[in-house]
Every structure is written in structure tokens, then in C-alpha cells.
């Protein structure tokens, strides 16, 4: 598989790049960004995946995430994929919470979405293989995952389904139980169909209820987040983790909203959380 | 004078706000951003002005500048104005280096620019008065200034003309001698007319040659900056500072370009430079 280098720029001693490729999983051109910190020539660096939220591309966190300083300090590669397939001929929805920009990190099984919306395969299989092939500094034996909102849902579900691959899981203001909130009911119903049994693989709380286990988990949540009560509901994750015996560090951050001002404030903590687990 | 609060968001323990007001100097609606770190109720905080480069608004550095962490650490207020008047009825130029987004921090004396392009008065007089009125935490007796590219030119010239007001001056990849480079010759010729004597107040190197003095100066410059040789020419500033006995710390940063990846990498150093001088 080939990739196109869209841009590279020196940043915080390393290289911030943007890349594009023709995805087999989605059947579309996909763009992602990678920050590779300064490192010794023979050094293999651990990898932190960041999955973005509704309406975002790779660019939002790449511009506003303030991750490069902490990633340079901890010598961690930071990868930011897009949130969906895009372009003409790709199904879409007029609303911001479905279709392009809102892939929910699932493999759609229903028309018109199934043709391109294969974001689970894309994130779990295709893109890691591409990273391994084109970024020799990446140690794919040491991966961590985080994300925001819909991307927090992605990080939690992908982390819970692949505990052997991800040594660290965290999230910023995640959708923890899409089966129980309006955003998730619409998206999972649309992408996966009305049979709610099929949703459980795409719902962090349901995965934990069904036996998925990870060593621990960090979640930050702003208490002035306008989506908190209706869409995010971290108390459901707290209850599931307590029941399952998964140590959850859930930090309610006073005064913080759902924006990148919240994410960037706590990004250094999430990079440090991942780095500590990746270096063990 | 009244201001409108466009948005506020908690960030790095403080508040990142965006504000708008009807400017007397420019005769237009102007937008700016202010970050106020967490502080004690009675504490007065020093102020760091950041002037942006060609094509930018307040938003570029507010999104990508990575200043909030360092400003929170040093308890410094960060103010990012726009780079020109804007809107219908405001003169413009098809090129990116003249007109809207390219005010060059001068008071235009020539038609069609003079009607609105009064950015020197706006930055030196009107906006500081507005800040003093509406941000009680700001200690206007302790101000510092920095900026990027065209905004580096703004920071240097405003700092050199007002040494009693600005205790600290620094710049990222500044235009140091607009009278001697294409960007500056076009802009100063357009805004101030063909008499080059009138340009000297808007040219850092000329100001120093004419006797302006500041205690010291920090400049960072990427050596992979595509504007370095033709437009920026830091060697002219180095020569003028050497001749005048102004201690200049000029750091040529290997591999860095002209983008916010460069600025954000060294932002913490410039905030620390300012904070050290503001706290003396």
C-alpha cells in the first residue's frame, strides 16, 4: 500500500505530517496525521492513537490538541485518523451526527452506509498495517488509544475489544453507552440496523457487561459540557467498571465544556498516562 | 466603550475568551481574544500582547499557539488582536499581503486605506484602554509584546517606540526591515505613500538606527522558513542591534518553517522570556 505525504513540518523537535491513501476498507481516499518525536535512529517508539469526535477530521486535534509537547517529552508517536469516509458518492446525512464526519468506528451493515462506512476495519486493521509499513520508528507492539466524544466511544470500544494490543486506554468526554443515548441510538440503528444485540460490540458499557476487561482506564469529563447529561453519561461507565472490577479514574473537571479547550488542557495527562503504561 | 463577549471557555485552569467591539480607530467591528489564567481575586496579572502575521485573525494563534499552558504557569494574560479592519466597505487588495488581513500595524495616510487602516492607533491606544476597562485582572503597568512575521514587525516597532510601556519584546520570524523587503515596500508604500522618510517609524531596523533602544530582545527564526532570505532577513536586525548595543538573542532553529508548528514549539520560551521581565 502506498501513501501520499500531504505535508510535513518540524514541530517540538519532531515531525508533524499529514498523509493520504486509498483505503481498501472504506473504498475512499482517507487522510490522517502522524507526529513522530525526535528519536535515536535505532529507537522504536510507542504509538498513541487519538480518535476524534463528531464533525471532526484529523485536522482538529492536529491543530488544537496540544499533544506534540507531551509526546516529544515522552517520545510517543501520535496518530490522528479521520472520523469517516468522505467525498462524492459516499452516503451522507444532513445532520452532523450521522454520515460523513460521524462514522462511529463501526462497520456498517445496512444500506446505504455499508458500501463505505467500514471504520472499525479501517482503524483496527488497515491503518495499523499502513503505519507499520511506512513508519519504521513505530513499535506496533506498544500501542495505546484515546479519543474524544464519539472518538472516546471509539477508543473505549476498540480498547476493550483488543486488550492484547492496547496497553493503555483513556478518553475525553466519551460516549460510554451509545445504545442508551440519542446520538448512539441513531447512529447504531442506522449503521447496524434495529437488532440491538448487534450493537453490544459497539458499546463500551455493554462490552464490559459482556465480559471485556482492561487493566485500568482514565476518563476526563467537563462538568459544564452541554452533552453530559443526555449523550455522555459517564455514570453508566462508572457503574459498569465498578461491577466488573475495572479500576476507572473518572475525573469530573469543574467548569470545562466539550471543546478542544477542555481536551488540550488535559492532553498532557493522557499522554503521560499512556506513556507510563507503554514503557512498563 | 462596550464589548461583546463572543465566547468563553475554561482552558488550562483559566478562561479563553473571544470578544468584539466597535472600534473608533478603524471604524469597524473588531474581534480579539484574551486568555486570563486562574488567579487570586485581588491579584493583578501582567499582560503579553501577541500580534499575528499576514492572512491571520485572532483565531490562528488562539487555536494553534499553545500559549495557554505557559501563560497559566506564569500567570500572564495573553491578548491576540486581529491583523486589520475587515468587512464590506473596507478597502482590500486581491493579494494576501495588502489590505484585509495585512494591516502592518501602521496608521495609513493614503487613500483608499486611511479611512479604516489605523492599526497603530488601534493597538497602541484603543485596545489597551479597552483591556484596562474590561479586564480588571490586567496590570497595564506590566506589559510585554511579541508577534509572528508581520506581527513580529508589529511587536518590534511598537516595542521600540514605547519602551516605557513594554518591559519585554520578542518575535517569531519577524519582518525586521520592511523598507528593504518586498512585503514591506508594497505595504508601506501603499499605506504611507512613496516618501520613505515616513516609513522609518514603521521599520524596526530604521527605528534602531534612529536611536530607539530597548534593554534586550529575543527572536526565534526557522532556518527552513521559505520567507527567510527574501522577506525576513534577521541579519539586518542583528547588525542594527550590534551597532546600537542592544543585546539580541537570535536563535536560528534548524528545520523549522514559517508555520504555527514553529511558533507553538517556541511559544513557551517567549512566554517565559516575557514573564521573567514582567516580574522583575
Amino acid at each position: 500500500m502506498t501513501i501520499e505525504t500531504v505535508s510535513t513540518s518540524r514541530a517540538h523537535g519532531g515531525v508533524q505530517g499529514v498523509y493520504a491513501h486509498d483505503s481498501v476498507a472504506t473504498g475512499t481516499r482517507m487522510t490522517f496525521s502522524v507526529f513522530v518525536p525526535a528519536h535515536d535512529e535505532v529507537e522504536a517508539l510507542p504509538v498513541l492513537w487519538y480518535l476524534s469526535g463528531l464533525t471532526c477530521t484529523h485536522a482538529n486535534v492536529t491543530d488544537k490538541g496540544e499533544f506534540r509537547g507531551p509526546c516529544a517529552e515522552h517520545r510517543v508517536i501520535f496518530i490522528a485518523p479521520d472520523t469517516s469516509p468522505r467525498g462524492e458518492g459516499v452516503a451522507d446525512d444532513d445532520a452532523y451526527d450521522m454520515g460523513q464526519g460521524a462514522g462511529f468506528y463501526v462497520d456498517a451493515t445496512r444500506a446505504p452506509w455499508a458500501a463505505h462506512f467500514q471504520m472499525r476495519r479501517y482503524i483496527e486493521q488497515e491503518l495499523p498495517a499502513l503505519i507499520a509499513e511506512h513508519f519504521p520508528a513505530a513499535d506496533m507492539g506498544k500501542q495505546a488509544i484515546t479519543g474524544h466524544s464519539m472518538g472516546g466511544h471509539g477508543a473505549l470500544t476498540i480498547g476493550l475489544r483488543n486488550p492484547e494490543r492496547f496497553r493503555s486506554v483513556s478518553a475525553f468526554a466519551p460516549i460510554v453507552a451509545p445504545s442508551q443515548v440519542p446520538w448512539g441510538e441513531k447512529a447504531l440503528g442506522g449503521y447496524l440496523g434495529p437488532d440491538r444485540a448487534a450493537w453490544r460490540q459497539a458499546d463500551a458499557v455493554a462490552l464490559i457487561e459482556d465480559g471485556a476487561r482492561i487493566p485500568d482506564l482514565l476518563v476526563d469529563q467537563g462538568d459544564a459540557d452541554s452533552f453530559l447529561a443526555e449523550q455522555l453519561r459517564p455514570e453508566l461507565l462508572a457503574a459498569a467498571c465498578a461491577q466488573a472490577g475495572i479500576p476507572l479514574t473518572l475525573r469530573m473537571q469543574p467548569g470545562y465544556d466539550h471543546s478542544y479547550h477542555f481536551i488540550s488542557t488535559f492532553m498532557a495527562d493522557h499522554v503521560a498516562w499512556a506513556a507510563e503504561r507503554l514503557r512498563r
Side-chain angles (χ1 to χ4, degrees), chain A residues 1-12:
Chain A
M1 293 182 288
T2 62
I3 64 172
E4 169 202 353
T5 299
V6 177
S7 68
T8 61
S9 205
R10 185 157 302 275
H12 287 278

Side-chain angles (χ1 to χ4, degrees), chain A residues 158-180:
Chain A
I158 292 171
L160 284 161
R161 287 195 305 255
N162 301 279
E164 75 299 334
R165 186 190 300 179
F166 297 100
R167 299 189 183 191
S168 168
V169 182
S170 75
F172 302 85
I175 304 170
V176 304
S179 309
Q180 302 183 53

